[in-house]
Amino acid sequence: MLIKPNYPLKIFSIMFLLIFTAISYAQTGGVKGVITDAQTDEPLPYANFILKGTSLGCASDDDGNYKIPNIPVGTYVLRATYVGYKPMEVEITVVANRTLQQEIKLSAESLTKETVIVTAQAEGQRQAINEQLSSLEIKNVVSAARIQELPDANAAESVSRLPGVSIVRTGGEGSKVVVRGLSPQYNRITIDGVEIPSNATSTDPNDHKNQFGNDDALSISGDRATDLSMISSNMLGGIEVIKAITPDMDATVLGGVVNFSMRKAGLRLFNSPKFEVITQGMYNNLKSTYNPKVVGSYEQRFFDNSFGIFLQGSYEEKDLSANTLNASYVFDGKITDTDEGVPEFTSATLADVIRRRDRLGATLVLDYTYDNGSIGFMNFFSRSETDADTRSESYALEADEVFYRGSYSESILDVMSNLLSIKHDFGDYHVDLRLSHSYSSSESPENISFNFWQDQAGLDDKYLALRYSDLKEIQKNIVYDYENASFFSISDVDNISEDRTYNAALDIIKSFTLSDYVTAKVKLGGSYNYRDRSYDYDERSGSVYYDDGSQVTSAILREFPQLGDGITYSDFLDPDFSYGEFFEGDYEHADPMDIDLMRDVMDVARNHPGTGNGGGYKENKVSSKLYDYSGHETRSAAFAMTTFNFGNMFIFLPGVRYQNLETIYKANRAKHTSGDPQWSRVEKTETHGYLLPMAHLRYKPLDWLQVHFAYTNTLNYPDFGAIVPRYFVGSNYIIYNNYNLKPAASENFDLMMSVYSNEIGLFSIGGYKKKIKDLIFTSRTFPSDYEDYPELINDVDETQTYTLLTFINNPIAIDVWGIETEWQTSFWYLPEPLNGLVLNVNYTHIFSEAKYPKTTKKTYLDSLWIMHTISVDTTYSTRLLNQPNDIVNIALGYDYADFSFRISMLYQDNIFKNPDFWSQNRVHSDPYLRFDLSVKQKLPWYGIQVYFNLNNITGEDDIDINQKTSFTTSQQRYGMTADAGLRVQF
């Protein structure tokens, strides 16, 4: 249940009174220390500690430090456990007002009495298991060692190995994550808890036109999704996906929180420096290219290991080329009013994309530990520069047309995060202060395209025969005629989005001993977040074919006389370029275009813009102004939560969070006129505050069994591009942004059962249920009056019927539920050589039921034979966009001494890609089955490790199909890639 409060602080006050009235003032002491591996002295993070016979206990932190305060004086048995190690018990005596120092060393479990040296891979797996078990949130974890196990191209690929996570790919490389079937904008991405600003901005002018499938659609620029392709796996200390949050966390999440923890300097004997150099070559078999990667890092600890420095820099070049296909099949109900019939082929585009990406990264992490606390300073920077040459052809069946298109695009993505974290104990109070800054800039300085039009494609007399065929059959009938393909249109787009955020958060924690069997920990705090955001879009385009006065064409012919009297596609062919084996011969592709010549010609066009109605090349005054916006948001929050421990069996965590968002955005509004549009600049302020109750219950009836239940309430704020107060009134349509949109709210139930032991490892099975209200969808209506839109009344013609395109909060709640299972284990107890086997497997099945609103126009004749048109509001039910049905991850490996290999499998099935009223127009992904291989061997010289990776061994394509016909609607082929390299540590 989500509550809109009038007096949220009253609830906080009541919680404090309940806790403080139960405080016991007996004299107490404490115990603290470090838990390490007995053989390697490496710390064991997230180990479990308990004073036997009491509820007093804790878990060690990232560095193996543990501390149990407020222990009544007396003698106790301290028990330390860590999955994969033998438990240890030690007797301690607690003295009043003193903290006992007790170091703990655990030995790895073994069937023999011989010393066992735990491999890095096994250590990482055990760390992930123990972190998941000790967490107050429900989450999944990838350790730094496991990140290095698998040949993941970036952080997004590493996240996709966890249950409930699928990814969106570009050129075969993961870019965004989908958690529990909820699209990227519904998830929160952080680095060491610092939210990465939204950086997923469109660079294609056509993206402003594709939400409704026509030219008069809403801009989709400015959603809240985050592109993860700029985060290299080498800089990470671990990854966690939090599925059920606690009240001390930002609640802006419907799916999950993906947190990347940065590496920091590890402990090292004699405080000596440690250097690591990685050199790697990458091969792409689609285009037979080779690219380098270099990573260098330095880490060292000073002052008896209390101060650490970790510094890393990286540079890599990647070939993300692809063959792509997009086909449109449309059914509009004209055959019957029932849900029958077959969709017709309307158009398709085939493209060869040469995409190059250079990525530069830098990380600096400083940490300082002292007796009563610690200070950390994290700095992260990443820049990726991507450019792409695209050669495409498009068919329109009924119009009997072919378009040949060449395009060049360039994009630059910068991301920066800084975090200053101060933790200090003031007596019995623990204070955690975090100050952070983050910045994101997504710039596309150049996006140019040329289109050539061939009027007859050989399909004119075959429309009726081919309209229900797949693309392969249709393409067999295409006739290419380059000499008669006229120079038709050009476009030139640039845009930039900037997002800067400052955040301050303060948490205060106090522990209480209520009795030997009941302890409590009170945590309260608040945060303040200021975000500044802007977006600027400019477009210049026009039809050269209808160029009044032929200014552009004439200028081009003067500069390039070799093009002849008229310009056709044959003048732009590139005889030196080869597609290779385009789609392995499944489809043909028109002769390639000369992209360099296109860019040279565009330089001429920019200096000779058209002036007539056609205007071969001039500024698009509507698009260049309509999509611009600027503004800021302030997000404030306060929370209170209490963790009760009842013996070693129950942990109960009730709490509440108040979260408020105020948005202030400026945008442009315009009305279509016979001349230039009439513009106005508008600023709107909106405020949304919510009270979010939450509760966690963790039950541990046996040493090997744990059950975790969570009830949470979370939010998702509307995308920036939906709430900026723009609108445009056209001749027969209205684009209207809805700045009154409410945040979507989700009531979440999670239940997770875990079975664990040194032999089993960790086996978990759980389910979740979400009820999401006010989820935001695009809407197309045909209003007869504008009472709900009073701002439009003076700008519309009441005698005109308009199509209104806007965003709405869905009035119908959406249910999402799913099942997640996971098993992480190693077979150390088997006889040699089988004791080196390692297994990670997880399976997810997701269900959702969403009702989408739809408004249609219907006409009828009245009794006087007068025609009337009315709007009919209805709904249709289907799944959530980007929701997969099934996800399976399997990684089987073997470790022996300094050798390891991993072969992994990823399976994703039936990801929903296109909701539509007619089921014939719905699209989902074809089953995707991918295999990867990673082999590593450490050599006996200078700490050298050699490794070899194969990604997408079978060259699996990303394919989407029409639900009715199973015809391909989208396909990306990016082939197999291979990496080979050296890692040197000294």
Side-chain angles (χ1 to χ4, degrees):
M1 177 179 64
L2 182 146
I3 306 168
K4 273 197 167 184
N6 291 323
Y7 303 105
L9 292 179
K10 287 185 177 180
I11 296 181
F12 298 160
S13 301
I14 292 172
M15 291 188 65
F16 289 131
L17 288 174
L18 291 174
I19 297 300
F20 280 96
T21 54
I23 297 175
S24 172
Y25 292 99
Q27 285 189 322
T28 61
V31 60
K32 69 177 182 179
V34 179
I35 182 169
T36 58
D37 182 293
Q39 280 73 46
T40 66
D41 283 329
E42 291 292 327
L44 299 178
Y46 313 108
N48 185 57
F49 292 85
I50 189 73
L51 296 182
K52 294 182 66 175
T54 76
S55 64
L56 300 168
C58 69
S60 59
D61 63 14
D62 292 344
D63 299 317
N65 299 302
Y66 75 94
K67 182 177 182 180
I68 306 176
N70 300 314
I71 305 173
V73 296
T75 300
Y76 300 88
V77 174
L78 175 64
R79 177 178 172 85
T81 58
Y82 195 83
V83 174
Y85 285 74
K86 298 174 184 177
M88 180 178 180
E89 295 182 358
V90 59
E91 185 177 282
I92 63 171
T93 300
V94 177
V95 179
N97 302 317
R98 294 184 60 185
T99 298
L100 173 68
Q101 187 77 25
Q102 181 67 56
E103 309 303 331
I104 303 291
K105 293 183 180 293
L106 298 186
S107 298
E109 187 67 88
S110 172
L111 293 179
T112 69
K113 296 182 179 180
E114 296 179 2
T115 298
V116 176
I117 302 299
V118 181
T119 65
Q121 292 83 0
E123 179 186 356
Q125 184 185 55
R126 293 171 181 179
Q127 177 181 331
I129 289 173
N130 285 279
E131 183 176 354
Q132 288 181 207
L133 290 172
S134 64
S135 173
L136 293 176
E137 307 99 4
I138 293 178
K139 67 181 180 182
N140 301 104
V141 179
V142 180
S143 68
R146 191 179 172 201
I147 292 172
Q148 300 301 321
E149 285 179 15
L150 298 173
D152 296 327
N154 58 31
E157 296 281 351
S158 298
V159 175
S160 70
R161 306 286 182 177
L162 292 171
V165 180
S166 56
I167 58 176
V168 178
R169 287 189 180 85
T170 301
E173 183 179 67
S175 57
K176 304 174 196 172
V177 295
V178 177
V179 181
R180 289 184 161 181
L182 290 155
S183 294
Q185 65 268 30
Y186 302 133
N187 304 300
R188 188 164 178 261
I189 311 298
T190 61
I191 297 178
D192 280 345
V194 180
E195 184 174 13
I196 304 176
S198 169
N199 52 41
T201 300
S202 169
T203 60
D204 189 337
N206 294 316
D207 284 348
H208 294 292
K209 306 174 183 178
N210 64 12
Q211 282 205 8
F212 294 92
N214 65 8
D215 289 341
D216 303 321
L218 296 168
S219 164
I220 64 169
S221 64
D223 69 14
R224 293 182 185 265
T226 300
D227 187 339
L228 301 181
S229 63
M230 77 291 181
I231 300 179
S232 172
S233 299
N234 298 101
M235 62 180 62
L236 299 178
I239 305 173
E240 55 184 1
V241 179
I242 301 169
K243 311 292 187 55
I245 67 170
T246 48
D248 55 341
M249 300 177 63
D250 192 298
T252 314
V253 55
L254 296 186
V257 180
V258 180
N259 182 59
F260 301 102
S261 60
M262 306 305 291
R263 287 174 60 183
K264 64 179 183 179
L267 297 177
R268 194 166 170 87
L269 294 177
F270 312 115
N271 297 332
S272 59
K274 177 181 178 181
F275 298 91
E276 182 179 74
V277 178
I278 299 174
T279 60
Q280 177 177 302
M282 296 174 282
Y283 171 75
N284 180 303
N285 82 320
L286 183 70
K287 296 298 180 182
S288 298
T289 56
Y290 297 86
N291 299 104
K293 176 180 178 179
V294 179
V295 181
S297 64
Y298 154 76
E299 59 183 288
Q300 188 172 5
R301 302 204 70 84
F302 301 88
F303 311 124
D304 197 23
N305 285 318
S306 61
F307 176 67
I309 299 176
F310 176 80
L311 176 65
Q312 184 181 86
S314 63
Y315 174 78
E316 64 179 311
E317 299 175 3
K318 303 206 74 171
D319 186 333
L320 300 177
S321 299
N323 299 151
T324 66
L325 177 159
N326 289 281
S328 177
Y329 296 85
V330 176
F331 177 77
D332 60 12
K334 62 185 178 184
I335 297 176
T336 174
D337 286 335
T338 62
D339 196 20
E340 298 175 359
V342 179
E344 298 181 24
F345 176 90
T346 59
S347 62
T349 299
L350 288 162
D352 180 79
V353 184
I354 307 295
R355 184 183 293 109
R356 302 159 293 265
R357 175 171 294 165
D358 295 344
R359 184 162 53 204
L360 178 68
T363 305
L364 172 63
V365 179
L366 309 176
D367 69 278
Y368 177 66
T369 304
Y370 54 96
D371 287 343
N372 293 320
S374 63
I375 300 174
F377 187 40
M378 182 276 293
N379 302 272
F380 163 78
F381 173 77
S382 175
R383 161 169 281 205
S384 65
E385 298 184 6
T386 306
D387 62 86
D389 299 334
T390 303
R391 298 167 173 88
S392 64
E393 58 185 276
S394 300
Y395 318 124
L397 179 59
E398 188 171 8
D400 189 27
E401 297 174 330
V402 179
F403 280 91
Y404 308 98
R405 185 186 187 199
S407 64
Y408 170 81
S409 65
E410 181 182 357
S411 61
I412 302 170
L413 174 61
D414 289 334
V415 176
M416 177 189 299
S417 291
N418 313 99
L419 170 65
L420 175 63
S421 173
I422 302 174
K423 299 179 180 181
H424 189 82
D425 293 332
F426 294 93
D428 292 338
Y429 291 89
H430 176 76
V431 177
D432 188 352
L433 173 65
R434 299 178 303 281
L435 303 173
S436 65
H437 159 263
S438 56
Y439 172 78
S440 173
S441 171
S442 180
E443 180 180 7
S444 183
E446 187 174 23
N447 287 274
I448 62 176
S449 66
F450 279 25
N451 285 281
F452 293 82
W453 172 49
Q454 179 184 318
D455 188 22
Q456 296 181 346
L459 302 171
D460 188 36
D461 58 347
K462 301 175 182 178
Y463 167 68
L464 294 178
L466 293 174
R467 60 180 176 164
Y468 299 117
S469 303
D470 68 357
L471 180 58
K472 288 183 180 179
E473 183 64 29
I474 291 168
Q475 199 195 43
K476 293 177 183 177
N477 296 273
I478 298 295
V479 176
Y480 297 113
D481 186 0
Y482 307 140
E483 293 287 345
N484 291 311
S486 304
F487 192 18
F488 188 76
S489 65
I490 60 179
S491 70
D492 183 9
V493 171
D494 62 84
N495 60 61
I496 182 170
S497 171
E498 292 186 284
D499 193 318
R500 189 181 298 274
T501 303
Y502 300 93
N503 187 80
L506 177 66
D507 298 343
I508 302 174
I509 304 171
K510 177 77 166 68
S511 297
F512 303 101
T513 301
L514 307 180
S515 72
D516 285 347
Y517 296 97
V518 182
T519 59
K521 181 183 293 184
V522 177
K523 185 176 183 179
L524 58 136
S527 63
Y528 180 82
N529 179 290
Y530 178 87
R531 180 177 215 155
D532 189 79
R533 185 174 176 86
S534 64
Y535 179 65
D536 182 72
Y537 178 88
D538 293 295
E539 179 182 344
R540 295 153 297 279
S541 60
S543 172
V544 181
Y545 189 80
Y546 298 107
D547 178 15
D548 294 349
S550 299
Q551 295 185 55
V552 176
T553 304
S554 298
I556 293 172
L557 291 175
R558 286 195 303 270
E559 189 71 23
F560 300 92
Q562 69 271 25
L563 297 178
D565 294 334
I567 303 176
T568 66
Y569 186 61
S570 61
D571 296 317
F572 276 77
L573 296 181
D574 186 350
D576 298 324
F577 181 85
S578 172
Y579 294 118
E581 194 172 6
F582 184 74
F583 272 115
E584 295 184 350
D586 292 341
Y587 299 94
E588 293 185 19
H589 202 324
D591 290 352
M593 184 174 174
D594 189 332
I595 299 297
D596 291 334
L597 176 60
M598 178 193 71
R599 297 180 67 185
D600 292 339
V601 171
M602 176 57 81
D603 290 338
V604 175
R606 288 188 178 113
N607 295 321
H608 297 83
T611 57
N613 292 330
Y617 175 78
K618 64 180 182 180
E619 182 184 14
N620 186 324
K621 294 183 179 180
V622 174
S623 295
S624 295
K625 198 168 184 178
L626 181 63
Y627 299 119
D628 298 349
Y629 66 84
S630 63
H632 65 268
E633 300 180 350
T634 55
R635 186 187 306 174
S636 55
F639 73 89
M641 55 184 268
T642 305
T643 304
F644 293 98
N645 288 267
F646 300 93
N648 193 31
M649 187 175 293
F650 287 99
I651 294 179
F652 177 52
L653 190 160
V656 64
R657 182 179 186 87
Y658 175 73
Q659 191 153 309
N660 182 76
L661 176 73
E662 181 183 72
T663 61
I664 303 176
Y665 281 109
K666 296 179 182 179
N668 297 313
R669 294 176 170 179
K671 174 184 178 180
H672 172 77
T673 63
S674 57
D676 290 338
Q678 299 174 355
W679 293 96
S680 61
R681 183 79 167 172
V682 179
E683 179 179 287
K684 292 292 182 179
T685 301
E686 295 293 321
T687 303
H688 304 280
Y690 289 88
L691 194 66
L692 307 167
M694 305 184 199
H696 287 250
L697 177 63
R698 205 170 76 189
Y699 175 49
K700 188 178 177 181
L702 301 167
D703 287 342
W704 49 266
L705 177 64
Q706 180 172 290
V707 180
H708 193 155
F709 170 78
Y711 169 76
T712 58
N713 284 279
T714 55
L715 303 169
N716 179 258
Y717 294 126
D719 290 337
F720 312 108
I723 58 174
V724 295
R726 78 162 67 94
Y727 69 66
F728 181 79
V729 179
S731 57
N732 60 359
Y733 67 92
I734 302 171
I735 298 174
Y736 184 86
N737 268 24
N738 187 354
Y739 58 86
N740 289 312
L741 287 171
K742 296 182 292 184
S746 180
E747 186 178 32
N748 315 296
F749 299 87
D750 288 81
L751 180 64
M752 183 67 66
M753 182 181 73
S754 300
V755 177
Y756 52 95
S757 71
N758 290 344
E759 292 77 17
I760 295 172
L762 172 66
F763 176 79
S764 297
I765 182 169
Y768 62 89
K769 168 72 164 56
K770 296 176 179 288
K771 182 174 285 294
I772 305 174
K773 298 179 180 179
D774 295 320
L775 200 63
I776 296 164
F777 291 128
T778 53
S779 169
R780 181 199 299 269
T781 59
F782 312 94
S784 57
D785 63 65
Y786 294 89
E787 292 182 0
D788 295 333
Y789 310 97
E791 298 161 309
L792 294 173
I793 292 177
N794 294 329
D795 287 330
V796 298
D797 181 355
E798 295 184 1
T799 65
Q800 170 73 48
T801 299
Y802 292 91
T803 300
L804 177 66
L805 311 173
T806 188
F807 297 93
I808 64 168
N809 288 110
N810 194 336
I812 306 167
I814 295 171
D815 291 323
V816 182
W817 59 101
I819 299 170
E820 297 175 348
T821 63
E822 178 185 29
W823 186 28
Q824 302 182 51
T825 191
S826 61
F827 297 94
W828 58 270
Y829 48 86
L830 296 179
E832 292 185 357
L834 299 179
N835 60 349
L837 289 172
V838 178
L839 178 67
N840 287 275
V841 57
N842 61 68
Y843 168 71
T844 304
H845 186 73
I846 303 173
F847 315 79
S848 69
E849 183 177 342
K851 285 192 174 181
Y852 294 79
K854 180 177 178 66
T855 301
T856 60
K857 285 194 296 186
K858 288 202 172 183
T859 58
Y860 70 94
L861 293 173
D862 64 14
S863 58
L864 299 176
W865 293 88
I866 298 175
M867 184 71 72
H868 297 272
T869 300
I870 60 173
S871 296
V872 178
D873 295 328
T874 185
T875 62
Y876 64 95
S877 297
T878 184
R879 293 186 286 155
L880 279 176
L881 188 66
N882 288 322
Q883 179 227 299
N885 273 356
D886 298 284
I887 306 171
V888 180
N889 278 288
I890 300 175
L892 177 64
Y894 185 80
D895 298 329
Y896 178 76
D898 294 325
F899 170 80
S900 73
F901 85 86
R902 296 290 186 275
I903 185 164
S904 60
M905 184 204 81
L906 168 64
Y907 175 81
Q908 297 178 351
D909 183 37
N910 210 305
I911 300 174
F912 191 48
K913 295 296 185 73
N914 182 54
D916 193 273
F917 178 78
W918 299 106
S919 62
Q920 293 93 326
N921 292 335
R922 296 173 192 169
V923 173
H924 60 79
S925 69
D926 215 22
Y928 179 87
L929 181 62
R930 169 178 174 153
F931 292 91
D932 301 317
L933 173 69
S934 178
V935 180
K936 296 179 173 64
Q937 174 65 59
K938 189 173 183 180
L939 303 179
W941 312 289
Y942 309 107
I944 297 175
Q945 182 188 61
V946 295
Y947 63 90
F948 175 72
N949 302 323
L950 287 176
N951 301 274
N952 195 21
I953 295 173
T954 58
E956 188 77 1
D957 293 356
D958 282 319
I959 300 176
D960 299 337
I961 59 175
N962 178 273
Q963 179 174 295
K964 176 72 175 181
T965 64
S966 295
F967 289 165
T968 299
T969 62
S970 175
Q971 184 171 354
Q972 286 191 58
R973 174 161 295 170
Y974 38 81
M976 181 196 73
T977 60
D979 309 330
L982 293 174
R983 176 181 283 108
V984 182
Q985 295 180 336
F986 55 94

